[in-house]
Amino acid sequence: MSLEEQFKQVSDSVRNWKTKPADSENLALYSLYKQAIAGDVNIPEPSGMVENAKWKAWTSRKGISSDDAKKQYIELAGQLKGKYA
């Protein structure tokens, strides 16, 4: 299975977990997902509290390649799966 296929499979399964991960874990997953699919942050900093937290988490991944972000996402999701799936 290619990295892209594995990433898609894992990201689809994360959306169907029984329980939502803790905020910090969810931000980590979100930021890796965004970095994997969109690359470095490409939008201005938002003002809303939730949106700003997501933006800052994504910004923290700046410079990570798409493939590395996918690998890190898959690894983190694997660590959290037993807790939330």
Side-chain angles (χ1 to χ4, degrees):
M1 181 181 307
S2 73
L3 177 61
E4 186 63 39
E5 291 168 333
Q6 191 176 5
F7 175 74
K8 170 114 174 73
Q9 184 180 47
V10 170
S11 62
D12 287 347
S13 73
V14 166
R15 289 187 189 103
N16 295 315
W17 285 353
K18 295 175 191 167
T19 309
K20 181 182 169 193
D23 289 343
S24 61
E25 295 164 334
N26 212 26
L27 282 173
L29 286 166
Y30 170 83
S31 63
L32 287 168
Y33 181 85
K34 288 295 283 186
Q35 189 69 23
I37 62 165
D40 290 343
V41 171
N42 56 8
I43 58 171
E45 184 173 0
S47 59
M49 190 165 66
V50 171
E51 293 82 7
N52 188 264
K54 290 165 73 174
W55 185 87
K56 285 181 178 178
W58 182 14
T59 300
S60 74
R61 307 295 182 173
K62 186 176 182 176
I64 297 175
S65 72
S66 175
D67 283 351
D68 284 345
K70 287 174 185 172
K71 290 173 189 172
Q72 290 179 36
Y73 181 92
I74 292 165
E75 182 180 332
L76 179 58
Q79 293 169 4
L80 297 176
K81 185 178 180 178
K83 208 169 164 184
Y84 300 109

